[in-house]
Amino acid sequence: MKLYHEVRGCSLAVDIVARELQIPLELEWVNMTTKRLKDGTDYFQVNSKGTVPTLEMADGQYLSEGAVIMQYLADQSPGSSLLAPPGTLERYRTLEWMSFIGADLHKGGFMPLFKAATPPEYRSIARQYLNGRLGWLNTQLSDRNYLMGSIFTIADAHCYTIAMWTRAHAIDTAPWPHLEAYLTRTGSRSSVKAAEQAAREQGERESAERMHNTH
Ligand SMILES: N[C@@H](CCC(=O)N[C@@H](CS)C(=O)NCC(=O)O)C(=O)O
């Protein structure tokens, strides 16, 4: 299977999940500025929304939406601790987290900060909103190692990926010590380190190409 991925994108969570499950994924890096693949293919042919992640499944079909791709991958390894079986309350609790991370943290909180066109007044509203959500998350993490308790799940791959954007926006996480400890704990997992390393190497390749093209 193939993951359409971006260096600083939320698609990192999918790569982490695949590595946790030891499901080999080919990584295809998308140029999100041109929306083209390395061979020049228009990425909208892969995902008509133009967003990453997209998973190309074994039969050649495409699946989009990170939260759904992560569930799909976890379900390829029945019995894995990354996601409880269908019908269990534990599964819905994990999905409750996935929805909070995708809607509240990613889209509601961080997205306005990424957009250059966001007016300053709205930027500060988004920051306030995000602070509230991160503060709540910090409280939730006060009595557990991972979102679901002691076991790492797909929700942690998702949460880590999005919450690490605090670094990209120089948001000081010192007021939220449980969140900081969580990010350190999760970031020390070998799956996370390997996924981050792959993204870092691609980032270096992209900067070298940019340098080459401008000289
Ligand atoms: N609902 C989608 C959103 C994915 C998304 O927003 N991805 C960002 C990267 S983190 C993206 O592709 N942005 C480019 C764009 O919106 O054109 C999901 O959860 O997978």
Side-chain angles (χ1 to χ4, degrees):
M1 290 189 284
K2 188 191 274 192
L3 170 65
Y4 293 86
H5 196 359
E6 181 199 3
V7 169
R8 278 164 282 278
C10 52
S11 41
L12 179 81
V14 175
D15 193 16
I16 293 172
V17 165
R19 288 172 197 269
E20 286 280 341
L21 295 164
Q22 298 184 349
I23 294 176
L25 287 187
E26 184 189 337
L27 301 181
E28 170 92 43
W29 300 94
V30 183
N31 182 328
M32 294 304 279
T33 310
T34 61
K35 302 276 185 187
R36 299 240 162 228
L37 305 180
K38 204 168 180 353
D39 67 1
T41 303
D42 180 1
Y43 180 57
F44 286 98
Q45 288 179 14
V46 171
N47 178 335
S48 53
K49 290 174 276 192
T51 54
V52 291
T54 305
L55 182 73
E56 188 172 328
M57 295 179 285
D59 65 0
Q61 287 194 63
Y62 297 120
L63 186 66
S64 67
E65 298 300 318
V68 175
I69 298 171
M70 287 183 255
Q71 289 173 60
Y72 174 81
L73 289 176
D75 286 342
Q76 300 310 297
S77 302
S80 132
S81 54
L82 285 203
L83 183 61
T88 60
L89 181 59
E90 209 183 334
R91 187 180 181 104
Y92 297 114
R93 290 281 175 224
T94 311
L95 300 184
E96 190 176 24
W97 276 114
M98 295 294 273
S99 184
F100 166 77
I101 298 155
D104 292 39
L105 288 189
H106 181 169
K107 292 296 171 182
F110 280 104
M111 200 184 76
L113 306 184
F114 276 109
K115 301 275 179 205
T118 302
E121 317 82 67
Y122 190 67
R123 197 169 284 276
S124 70
I125 293 170
R127 267 303 302 269
Q128 240 180 319
Y129 171 86
L130 187 56
N131 282 357
R133 291 298 186 268
L134 292 173
W136 177 81
L137 179 59
N138 177 63
T139 310
Q140 298 300 304
L141 287 166
S142 63
D143 61 353
R144 62 192 89 168
N145 280 346
Y146 293 109
L147 296 177
M148 288 295 294
S150 56
I151 291 173
F152 179 93
T153 66
I154 60 171
D156 296 298
H158 198 187
C159 187
Y160 173 84
T161 298
I162 305 301
M164 282 299 280
W165 288 343
T166 48
R167 310 291 194 250
H169 294 285
I171 296 173
D172 182 12
T173 49
W176 307 304
H178 305 299
L179 176 60
E180 274 202 337
Y182 169 79
L183 293 176
T184 305
R185 182 179 311 118
T186 307
S188 69
R189 295 179 75 85
S190 55
S191 62
V192 176
K193 284 192 197 161
E196 288 186 321
Q197 177 64 19
R200 201 172 307 115
E201 285 169 10
Q202 175 61 16
E204 285 163 10
R205 280 191 292 273
E206 289 178 8
S207 326
E209 267 168 40
R210 268 195 301 276
M211 286 283 282
H212 178 79
N213 292 339
T214 52
H215 286 79

